[in-house]
Amino acid sequence: MDVAKRGVIIGMALGDGYVRVRTRYDRKLPREERTLRVLHGPSQRAYCEWKAERLAWALGCRPMKVSTYRNGPGGRYTAYQFSKNHSYFGQVHRWLYPNGKKLFTRKVLDMLTPEGLAIWYMDDGHARKNTNSRGFVSSVATDIATQCTEVEAQVIVDWLQDRFGLEFKVRCNKRCSPGKQFYIQANTSASNQFASIIAPHVPECMLYKLAHVAALSSHECRAPVSHCFSCDTPVYDDRRGGLCVRCYTRERTKRLRAAGDDIV
């Protein structure tokens, strides 16, 4: 398969796409079914339709129909999905699930293209913005929720450095279950480089995924979302329970001292 087309498929499979291979029986004769299924929330219908078009281009077939899917108690949650059966997905499954579980390997990563990397980020990536006391974005971070082992995360970080010269770091989220605690993160400088690589492949409906980088060069002061309930200082994000950075740090220090923990 063409490198560019394969890169699109690998990007979807690494992200929110699920590749399934199972045996079905047709008139008592076994038949292997190889399927790629893509599912997105209600706010990402346009993105789901865009992915259906890109997958159709990669496979050389007609675009798949995006349908509504309801799940949760009483079908209260709405999502959008499409799926496609194709023999090529059997090979993709062998690459990504050698032991029945998704595994990030150098072999698979080498198949990624900038567009495939963009799809992976749009599926599993999110951004962080830090705002200074004047309301301007002073620094950003770009995360990709790989949810893998530390060894796999390091493989991804090394590949990004070798392939694109991007410096990501391995981070740990201890709230996740063992084997899924590690993700990767880029600082402000690397976020700028990363955005310049994937931006040409990001559709208009997903440009918000790069808004944190655009905010760095913006001369507009952000409006405060609230004021610190302790000292009345303007607060520009709600990550700290209504406290400014100074009050949050002070309260956290008090809690750690009261619990007898070391302050890091």
Side-chain angles (χ1 to χ4, degrees), residues 3-233:
V3 172
K5 295 179 178 180
R6 184 180 62 186
V8 168
I9 295 173
I10 294 297
M12 292 188 188
L14 288 177
D16 288 337
Y18 175 64
V19 182
R20 179 175 63 182
V21 176
R22 59 179 178 176
T23 301
R24 306 291 293 270
Y25 288 88
D26 185 8
R27 296 179 181 179
K28 297 184 179 181
L29 295 177
R31 175 174 58 87
E32 192 176 62
E33 186 178 82
R34 313 165 190 92
T35 307
L36 173 65
R37 185 191 183 206
V38 174
L39 179 72
H40 285 285
S43 64
Q44 294 187 326
R45 178 173 184 172
Y47 177 49
C48 192
E49 293 172 344
W50 176 85
K51 288 177 75 173
E53 292 177 358
R54 295 307 294 159
L55 183 60
W57 168 79
L59 296 175
C61 63
R62 291 185 299 177
M64 284 62 71
K65 181 180 179 182
V66 174
S67 60
T68 303
Y69 176 78
R70 294 190 177 277
N71 58 5
R76 69 175 65 178
Y77 304 118
T78 301
Y80 295 97
Q81 67 170 355
F82 69 86
S83 61
K84 178 64 178 177
N85 297 326
H86 197 280
S87 59
Y88 189 69
F89 297 144
Q91 180 61 65
V92 174
H93 187 273
R94 288 189 288 273
W95 286 331
L96 265 67
Y97 303 86
N99 300 310
K101 178 183 177 182
K102 183 183 285 187
L103 183 68
F104 294 97
T105 63
R106 187 73 181 227
K107 178 179 179 179
V108 170
L109 294 172
D110 283 339
M111 301 178 194
L112 271 179
T113 58
E115 183 176 8
L117 182 60
I119 293 171
W120 185 16
Y121 170 68
M122 289 187 286
D123 282 359
D124 292 341
H126 66 278
R128 303 171 188 267
K129 291 188 290 187
N130 295 315
T131 308
N132 61 25
S133 59
R134 296 179 297 164
F136 294 99
V137 176
S138 56
S139 62
V140 299
T142 301
D143 298 353
I144 300 181
T146 51
Q147 293 185 315
C148 60
T149 65
E150 186 175 9
V151 172
E152 291 174 89
Q154 190 61 53
V155 168
I156 299 170
V157 166
D158 292 343
W159 177 80
L160 287 166
Q161 177 67 56
D162 295 343
R163 178 73 181 275
F164 298 106
L166 293 169
E167 187 176 351
F168 275 74
K169 300 292 185 182
V170 176
R171 297 287 184 253
C172 179
N173 183 356
K174 294 183 179 180
R175 293 174 296 179
C176 295
S177 59
K180 295 185 177 182
Q181 293 181 327
F182 293 90
Y183 65 98
I184 62 174
Q185 183 179 81
N187 62 13
T188 301
S189 176
S191 293
N192 270 306
Q193 292 178 265
F194 181 71
S196 67
I197 292 170
I198 68 171
H201 309 286
V202 176
E204 185 175 355
C205 61
M206 296 298 288
L207 287 176
Y208 72 89
K209 287 278 189 172
L210 299 178
H212 63 304
V213 174
L216 284 168
S217 57
S218 173
H219 298 290
E220 295 183 6
C221 176
R222 292 182 63 192
V225 296
S226 63
H227 286 75
C228 176
F229 63 74
S230 179
C231 67
D232 205 38
T233 298

